[in-house]
Amino acid sequence: MVKELHANLILFDDDLSPAQVRNLEKSCGARVVDRSGLILDIFARRARTREAKTQVELAQLEYLLPRLTRQWTHLSRQEGGIGLRGPGETQLEVDRRQIRRRIAFLRQELERIHRQRAVRRKHREDLFQVALVGYTNVGKSTILNALTRAEVLVEDRLFATLDPTVRIMASDGPRTVVLIDTVGFIRKLPHHLVASFMSTLQESMAADLLVHVVDVSHPQFAEQMETVREVLRSLNALDRPILTVFNKVDRLANKGMLPGLLEAHRPSVAVSATRGIFMDRLRAEILRFAEESLVEFTLRVPAEEHQLVAKVYALAEVLAADYQDGQVQLRARATRARLEKINRMARDRHKQEVSARGAS
């Protein structure tokens, strides 16, 4: 086929071992690229920020290290010397050592980035966090723009988004909802990428709600949904509430299949983000989850504890306040993180535990 088509590149939809690549290139006389190599090349072209470039470079080097071959013209044995290669050390060994040193440096950089992301997530813990997850090119960024009035890059191509984008959802509800656009998943995701993009993928693991966006017009949307579930399962993120969003319904030829899909994957909604169809339903569903995540609690303290009472009003939504016999009983609701803050204050001042009624 290479001779007939005058091809100079062969793509494989599976991962190949270094030996397989070398043998195929030798026998065919053309460059061979496997699935992981192609995905890494696409990621490298899409990377824009320093974090994305660091993650992609680490994945590329870990992929390249076992694939270094003796294809250099300067592999002769060298004499040792100060600052030079050791006796008998080949250029191949020098290259491998340099790559390992670079990998160690990039891992340190990603660990630092991971700590920074953890701090930012800590600051958002009082907010209701929603992670948009799904197969690549299903319309997650378009949905983010529609719900937040943001202007995130939207392109009809694979992996247009590599970095998580965090925006506040426009709403009139009592809770602040934060949407997080994440990197798209793909079938047979290379393990190098999963490891390198762990700090990015952890945004999904920290979310209160996962919105699984599906391109329902794609012929293989069912397989894509299963791929996303497998990735989420590997991240131990399937314990989060999941809202399935069937996007691009305007492109769906057989619209009669929608009722069955919505029933089979409850809770779910069908929308067209580009045309703004049923986006109000999606917004209402997200706000419903946000409301149901609140914990209702009761706190009884001396009425003169003005500071503690004011703190409860600042951190929670007070539903009722009953003042009698020098005591005040507050019935309120708040996020679990804010309830814990109120709990700590109550314990510190009165050795008293807040009576929580639990979340819906």
Side-chain angles (χ1 to χ4, degrees), residues 80-91:
I82 297 176
L84 301 176
R85 288 170 288 180
E89 188 175 19
T90 66
Q91 181 65 36

Side-chain angles (χ1 to χ4, degrees), residues 300-306 308-309 326-328 350 352:
R300 186 179 180 86
V301 296
E304 64 268 16
E305 282 289 350
H306 305 296
L308 179 57
V309 172
Q327 299 280 318
V328 56
H350 299 284
Q352 180 179 344

Side-chain angles (χ1 to χ4, degrees), residues 170-216:
S171 73
D172 299 325
R175 291 213 60 185
T176 301
V177 177
V178 172
L179 296 185
I180 307 166
D181 189 11
T182 62
V183 61
F185 301 153
I186 195 168
R187 180 175 56 90
K188 294 187 286 187
L189 191 68
H191 68 278
H192 306 287
L193 281 176
V194 174
S196 299
F197 276 75
M198 187 53 67
S199 64
T200 300
L201 295 171
Q202 282 176 337
E203 296 290 352
S204 303
M205 300 161 62
D208 300 297
L209 170 67
L210 299 179
V211 172
H212 179 185
V213 183
V214 180
D215 178 1
V216 72

Side-chain angles (χ1 to χ4, degrees), residues 4-22:
E4 290 176 2
L5 300 174
H6 304 288
N8 55 16
L9 176 66
I10 309 172
L11 293 175
F12 281 81
D13 192 32
D14 287 287
D15 284 345
L16 302 176
S17 70
Q20 287 174 321
V21 172
R22 288 194 297 269

Side-chain angles (χ1 to χ4, degrees), residues 40-149:
L40 286 168
D41 185 60
I42 295 173
F43 267 62
R45 293 169 183 264
R46 302 288 190 265
R48 293 292 180 268
T49 66
R50 179 167 160 271
E51 178 181 358
K53 291 177 179 178
T54 301
Q55 293 175 124
V56 171
E57 184 183 356
L58 175 60
Q60 285 180 317
L61 291 178
E62 290 181 331
Y63 173 80
L64 174 64
L65 185 59
R67 289 168 172 79
L68 285 180
T69 60
R70 297 174 60 91
Q71 55 186 336
W72 309 91
T73 58
H74 44 277
L75 288 179
S76 59
R77 296 283 173 172
Q78 302 289 326
E79 295 297 328
I82 297 176
L84 301 176
R85 288 170 288 180
E89 188 175 19
T90 66
Q91 181 65 36
L92 181 61
E93 291 163 339
V94 172
D95 292 333
R96 282 176 174 160
R97 188 172 69 248
Q98 290 175 339
I99 288 179
R100 290 191 183 98
R101 190 181 300 122
R102 181 66 178 171
I103 286 175
F105 170 77
L106 292 173
R107 284 176 176 168
Q108 290 177 351
E109 281 290 292
L110 284 183
E111 180 59 30
R112 186 178 60 81
I113 292 172
H114 172 67
R115 291 194 297 268
Q116 291 174 345
R117 283 202 171 278
V119 170
R120 289 197 290 269
R121 283 196 296 269
K122 185 74 174 176
H123 291 160
R124 298 198 306 262
E125 66 178 6
D126 286 343
L127 309 177
F128 188 75
Q129 301 181 61
V130 180
L132 301 174
V133 300
Y135 210 80
T136 183
N137 204 34
V138 293
K140 297 186 298 298
S141 297
T142 305
I143 287 178
L144 179 78
N145 287 340
L147 292 176
T148 65
R149 303 189 183 99

Side-chain angles (χ1 to χ4, degrees), residues 313-336:
Y313 271 90
L315 293 176
E317 179 188 359
V318 177
L319 305 175
D322 184 21
Y323 290 83
Q324 55 180 309
D325 300 328
Q327 299 280 318
V328 56
Q329 180 172 297
L330 299 174
R331 184 167 64 87
R333 61 179 185 172
T335 64
R336 288 182 175 83

Side-chain angles (χ1 to χ4, degrees), residues 2-3 7 10 12 22-32:
V2 169
K3 291 179 179 178
I10 309 172
F12 281 81
R22 288 194 297 269
N23 292 337
L24 285 166
E25 288 182 339
K26 184 177 179 180
S27 61
C28 296
R31 183 182 171 221
V32 172

